[in-house]
Amino acid sequence: MDLVRSRLDAIEHVDHEKRLWRRVYPPTGREGLVPLAFVFADTTEAKVANTVAVLEEAGRRYWAPRRYRSLYREAITAKDYSQAVPVVVTTLEQLQQHGADAAVWRRLGRKGEQTLTAALDNPDGDALFREQEARADAEDKRRRAAEREAQRPVCKRCGRKFTDERWEEITMHRTAWQAGDLSVCGPCHTDDVARQEAAAEAARRQAAAPEPEADGQEPGKPRRGMFRRWT
């Protein structure tokens, strides 16, 4: 209460669920605050119109919805009614003539008369926001995927696109140093590794093979020298 008394805009900083009116009035199933109705009696249409115009202008900060805060602000046309007071107006004559359930209510900020249910509903509110945000999020994901695909590397040897695994392998610091030729795809890199291993194995076998004997001498026999020993 101290906060509410000390600041003119303090009500905007009080959590929606903690406000006193929610303990007094049952839930309406709609976003927004408790609706307020003006019923004009014993007056002219001109005076009603003038009064409604003053109400709309002076009370705009209370009845007008706000823009939703969203990452996709440009794609969102829905309005946030969570802190708005729905204000509807009519005349006693219309109520007596048509009844309260007829299209005799006009909501501030809208044109024309509606039934009370339609006037209090927010077709451009929370439901539309969820739909637009979901659509914008899906479109954003498609756009990001297309941009990523356009940047996907192509193998310089065979022309195939890199898989996600190979792409990550050549770009991650912990794996790039052992990724081999960074310009080739995974299968080509596998072929390179196989060739390198085959060449290394051939070199090892060649190094391990015994050297051939000269002049056709059989292995194991001592080599005959050029001089004979005379006895």
Side-chain angles (χ1 to χ4, degrees), residues 81-144:
Y81 289 90
S82 61
Q83 302 299 315
V85 177
V87 180
V88 293
V89 298
T90 188
T91 63
L92 182 59
E93 290 76 14
Q94 286 181 305
L95 292 177
Q96 291 174 335
Q97 182 177 356
H98 304 288
D101 57 346
V104 296
W105 301 92
R106 183 199 159 199
R107 182 166 171 173
L108 297 192
R110 297 181 185 177
K111 301 294 183 182
E113 295 173 333
Q114 301 173 286
T115 63
L116 185 58
T117 299
L120 295 178
D121 282 343
N122 303 309
D124 56 346
D126 187 60
L128 179 61
F129 170 71
R130 291 195 300 270
E131 176 185 337
Q132 290 181 333
E133 189 170 56
R135 187 163 55 243
D137 182 64
E139 180 60 31
D140 183 64
K141 289 179 179 177
R142 284 193 294 269
R143 178 184 59 80
R144 290 176 181 271

Side-chain angles (χ1 to χ4, degrees), residues 147-173:
E147 290 177 353
R148 174 177 168 80
E149 195 61 29
Q151 297 173 356
R152 184 180 295 274
V154 176
C155 181
K156 301 297 184 183
R157 187 177 302 165
C158 69
R160 286 179 292 194
K161 288 187 175 182
F162 284 28
T163 62
D164 289 342
E165 292 76 12
R166 178 59 177 167
W167 194 359
E168 180 179 354
E169 184 182 30
I170 68 171
T171 54
M172 297 295 290
H173 178 71

Side-chain angles (χ1 to χ4, degrees), residues 15-127:
D15 186 81
H16 193 62
E17 299 298 325
K18 295 181 180 178
R19 298 186 180 183
L20 179 61
W21 67 266
R22 294 187 64 83
R23 306 176 191 176
V24 179
Y25 298 95
T28 64
R30 304 180 180 90
E31 66 267 36
L33 306 180
V34 178
L36 178 63
F38 286 90
V39 179
F40 298 96
D42 299 326
T43 186
T44 64
E45 291 185 6
K47 289 183 178 180
V48 171
N50 290 336
T51 304
V52 170
V54 172
L55 285 174
E56 281 189 319
E57 185 61 30
R60 185 173 299 275
R61 61 171 298 191
Y62 301 104
W63 62 259
R66 304 175 183 180
R67 293 199 66 174
Y68 273 103
R69 295 180 180 178
S70 173
L71 294 174
Y72 314 109
R73 186 178 179 88
E74 298 301 323
I76 303 298
T77 61
K79 298 178 176 61
D80 182 4
Y81 289 90
S82 61
Q83 302 299 315
V85 177
V87 180
V88 293
V89 298
T90 188
T91 63
L92 182 59
E93 290 76 14
Q94 286 181 305
L95 292 177
Q96 291 174 335
Q97 182 177 356
H98 304 288
D101 57 346
V104 296
W105 301 92
R106 183 199 159 199
R107 182 166 171 173
L108 297 192
R110 297 181 185 177
K111 301 294 183 182
E113 295 173 333
Q114 301 173 286
T115 63
L116 185 58
T117 299
L120 295 178
D121 282 343
N122 303 309
D124 56 346
D126 187 60

